[in-house]
Amino acid sequence: MNSNFGIYLEHKSIISISGVDASNFLQNIISNDIHLVNKTCSLYSCLLSPQGKFMYDFMIVSLSEDNYLIQCNQAIVDDFISKLNIFKLRSQVIIENVDQHYKSFFFNMAHEIISNKFNATKGFTIRNDYGFFFNDPRLDDLGIHGIISKEKCNDLAKDLSLNLLDINTFIKIYHNAGLTDLVPADALSNFFALELNLKELNGISFKKGCFVGQENTARMNLKNKIRKRVFPIQIMEGSVTIDETITVDEKKIGKIISLDPCCFAIINIEDNKDSLNKTIQLKNSKIKISKPYWLNLN
């Protein structure tokens, strides 16, 4: 079977932000540096609360000068657009949902039809007649995202001889990598950006200056004392429930924060690093707290 596969990410939506103030508008509110986005580089970023807690995360692609496409989860797209319009004030920007023009895909590898010079650099981006293709900006060689023109989707699948797989493959890949793409935003909104590993995932710039939530985020980073972090959970046996306490030797070390479609927990890592990657017996289950390969806790 052809090993080149694609997955339609039906849970993704695309927002267009355009206008003479688009760059400055985004630079003032998002956690990453919009000036790093260009025709060959896409970006991962977030919008935080004024307290520095998570609200929304997204990918940013440059459509043209002063025009950006934002790929975000469909479940939050209306709320996200409403929030952006609140920040808009007098900025000369147009914010609109453009799902009628694009579909989102995930590909496991590049192909000469995409580009014979495609490389695995984080965020590396090309544009062609099909649309945009970019490496995940967070991790090297994880996979390629596509923002594809709707009218070209059938042609792309045919021309690449794609095996079209269902979303469960994407869920497995990203859960194993420790990425919270499919975790509902409200399950993450109680946590600070650094607790969600957004620094390690290249989602925050500490050089760009002010952004919403920057003060608390910078202070936590300077102190370098992140007591809690989010981790993917492997359920080895039985079942768990939302908010279920995780205990080791009668000591509470965390709790389950999401189940569907993938399980994550927030873990107090102080004095509990020995519990990572080990099987833990809970009331009705056995679980493993998986430490992502890219997360350095030293």
Side-chain angles (χ1 to χ4, degrees):
M1 184 178 73
N2 176 21
S3 61
N4 190 31
F5 69 75
I7 301 169
Y8 170 42
L9 304 181
E10 61 183 20
H11 67 288
K12 295 292 187 181
S13 280
I14 307 297
I15 298 170
S16 168
I17 298 184
S18 61
V20 294
D21 293 332
S23 180
N24 288 336
F25 167 69
L26 288 170
Q27 185 72 343
N28 288 332
I29 62 173
I30 67 173
S31 63
N32 217 330
D33 189 346
I34 193 64
H35 297 139
L36 298 175
V37 180
N38 55 52
K39 65 180 182 179
T40 61
C41 184
S42 298
L43 200 67
Y44 172 65
S45 189
C46 306
L47 182 63
L48 306 177
S49 73
Q51 294 76 33
K53 292 188 175 183
F54 179 90
M55 293 181 67
Y56 316 106
D57 64 344
F58 42 88
M59 308 290 189
I60 307 178
V61 172
S62 174
L63 180 61
S64 63
E65 186 176 355
D66 297 327
N67 192 346
Y68 301 93
L69 296 181
I70 290 183
Q71 183 193 62
C72 65
N73 282 349
Q74 188 178 74
I76 57 93
V77 65
D78 291 337
D79 289 340
F80 189 18
I81 289 175
S82 295
K83 182 65 68 174
L84 289 172
N85 277 312
I86 290 173
F87 284 114
K88 178 180 173 180
L89 299 176
R90 297 181 180 178
S91 298
Q92 295 185 50
V93 295
I94 298 172
I95 303 166
E96 55 184 340
N97 185 322
V98 290
D99 283 343
Q100 70 271 28
H101 298 304
Y102 299 101
K103 285 187 175 182
S104 293
F105 284 82
F106 175 81
F107 309 97
N108 65 318
M109 62 177 71
H111 189 286
E112 61 183 7
I113 293 174
I114 295 177
S115 173
N116 58 11
K117 297 182 179 179
F118 204 94
N119 64 61
T121 305
K122 289 189 288 287
F124 177 75
T125 304
I126 65 122
R127 182 182 183 183
N128 58 26
D129 290 341
Y130 300 102
F132 297 86
F133 301 85
F134 58 99
N135 279 325
D136 195 297
R138 294 165 291 188
L139 301 172
D140 290 320
D141 204 21
L142 179 65
I144 299 167
H145 290 264
I147 298 177
I148 308 302
S149 171
K150 272 194 172 182
E151 62 185 22
K152 292 287 187 177
C153 287
N154 291 336
D155 291 341
L156 178 64
K158 180 180 178 181
D159 293 343
L160 294 183
S161 300
L162 285 177
N163 293 307
L164 293 175
L165 305 182
D166 64 35
I167 192 65
N168 288 323
T169 301
F170 180 80
I171 292 170
K172 183 176 180 180
I173 292 170
Y174 272 64
H175 184 237
N176 288 342
L179 301 178
T180 59
D181 289 54
L182 291 119
V183 176
D186 58 0
L188 303 174
S189 61
N190 290 324
F191 306 110
F192 292 101
L194 300 190
E195 294 175 337
L196 299 178
N197 307 318
L198 298 185
K199 175 184 175 181
E200 290 79 7
L201 292 171
N202 303 302
I204 302 173
S205 170
F206 293 100
K207 298 179 180 179
K208 62 171 280 188
C210 293
F211 56 86
V212 179
Q214 181 265 344
E215 186 174 354
N216 274 351
T217 304
R219 184 183 298 115
M220 291 178 69
N221 184 60
L222 184 63
K223 290 181 177 180
N224 197 29
K225 289 187 177 181
I226 313 302
R227 295 181 175 86
K228 298 183 295 182
R229 289 188 184 264
V230 68
F231 290 92
I233 300 298
Q234 304 292 337
I235 302 174
M236 315 300 291
E237 183 180 302
S239 61
V240 296
T241 58
I242 294 290
D243 292 329
E244 181 172 350
T245 298
I246 299 172
T247 59
V248 175
D249 297 330
E250 300 183 350
K251 176 185 176 183
K252 178 181 177 179
I253 68 168
K255 69 176 182 177
I256 303 295
I257 64 170
S258 76
L259 287 179
D260 187 17
C262 44
C263 188
F264 280 83
I266 192 76
I267 302 296
N268 186 332
I269 58 173
E270 287 189 319
D271 302 322
N272 294 312
K273 294 178 184 177
D274 289 344
S275 298
L276 303 179
N277 293 325
K278 293 182 179 179
T279 300
I280 297 171
Q281 178 71 59
L282 300 184
K283 183 178 180 180
N284 297 310
S285 65
K286 290 181 180 179
I287 67 167
K288 181 183 290 186
I289 305 169
S290 299
K291 186 181 85 65
Y293 67 90
W294 46 263
L295 183 59
N296 185 356
L297 298 177
N298 296 329

PDB file of all heavy atoms in Angstrom, residues 27 66 76 261 298:
ATOM      1  N   GLN A  27       0.328  41.496  16.240  1.00  0.00           N
ATOM      2  CA  GLN A  27       1.536  41.589  17.070  1.00  0.00           C
ATOM      3  C   GLN A  27       1.218  42.059  18.487  1.00  0.00           C
ATOM      4  O   GLN A  27       1.866  41.634  19.452  1.00  0.00           O
ATOM      5  CB  GLN A  27       2.536  42.545  16.414  1.00  0.00           C
ATOM      6  CG  GLN A  27       3.874  42.648  17.118  1.00  0.00           C
ATOM      7  CD  GLN A  27       4.743  41.404  16.937  1.00  0.00           C
ATOM      8  OE1 GLN A  27       4.270  40.339  16.558  1.00  0.00           O
ATOM      9  NE2 GLN A  27       6.018  41.544  17.214  1.00  0.00           N
ATOM     10  N   ASP A  66       0.110  41.833   4.708  1.00  0.00           N
ATOM     11  CA  ASP A  66      -1.069  42.356   5.419  1.00  0.00           C
ATOM     12  C   ASP A  66      -2.304  41.461   5.265  1.00  0.00           C
ATOM     13  O   ASP A  66      -3.440  41.946   5.371  1.00  0.00           O
ATOM     14  CB  ASP A  66      -1.421  43.781   4.957  1.00  0.00           C
ATOM     15  CG  ASP A  66      -0.315  44.777   5.254  1.00  0.00           C
ATOM     16  OD1 ASP A  66       0.370  44.596   6.280  1.00  0.00           O
ATOM     17  OD2 ASP A  66      -0.125  45.709   4.451  1.00  0.00           O
ATOM     18  N   ILE A  76     -14.181  26.562  18.402  1.00  0.00           N
ATOM     19  CA  ILE A  76     -14.002  27.879  19.054  1.00  0.00           C
ATOM     20  C   ILE A  76     -14.000  29.033  18.055  1.00  0.00           C
ATOM     21  O   ILE A  76     -13.824  30.177  18.447  1.00  0.00           O
ATOM     22  CB  ILE A  76     -12.704  27.914  19.891  1.00  0.00           C
ATOM     23  CG1 ILE A  76     -11.465  27.584  19.031  1.00  0.00           C
ATOM     24  CG2 ILE A  76     -12.797  26.945  21.051  1.00  0.00           C
ATOM     25  CD1 ILE A  76     -10.753  28.750  18.431  1.00  0.00           C
ATOM     26  N   PRO A 261     -11.407  13.510  22.533  1.00  0.00           N
ATOM     27  CA  PRO A 261     -11.071  12.186  22.000  1.00  0.00           C
ATOM     28  C   PRO A 261      -9.753  11.618  22.533  1.00  0.00           C
ATOM     29  O   PRO A 261      -9.344  10.535  22.101  1.00  0.00           O
ATOM     30  CB  PRO A 261     -10.963  12.463  20.504  1.00  0.00           C
ATOM     31  CG  PRO A 261     -10.396  13.836  20.440  1.00  0.00           C
ATOM     32  CD  PRO A 261     -11.005  14.582  21.605  1.00  0.00           C
ATOM     33  N   ASN A 298      14.578  18.929  33.391  1.00  0.00           N
ATOM     34  CA  ASN A 298      15.751  19.120  34.256  1.00  0.00           C
ATOM     35  C   ASN A 298      15.914  20.570  34.675  1.00  0.00           C
ATOM     36  O   ASN A 298      15.500  21.471  33.984  1.00  0.00           O
ATOM     37  CB  ASN A 298      17.019  18.639  33.531  1.00  0.00           C
ATOM     38  CG  ASN A 298      16.962  17.139  33.265  1.00  0.00           C
ATOM     39  OD1 ASN A 298      16.359  16.391  34.041  1.00  0.00           O
ATOM     40  ND2 ASN A 298      17.575  16.709  32.190  1.00  0.00           N
TER      41      ASN A 298
END
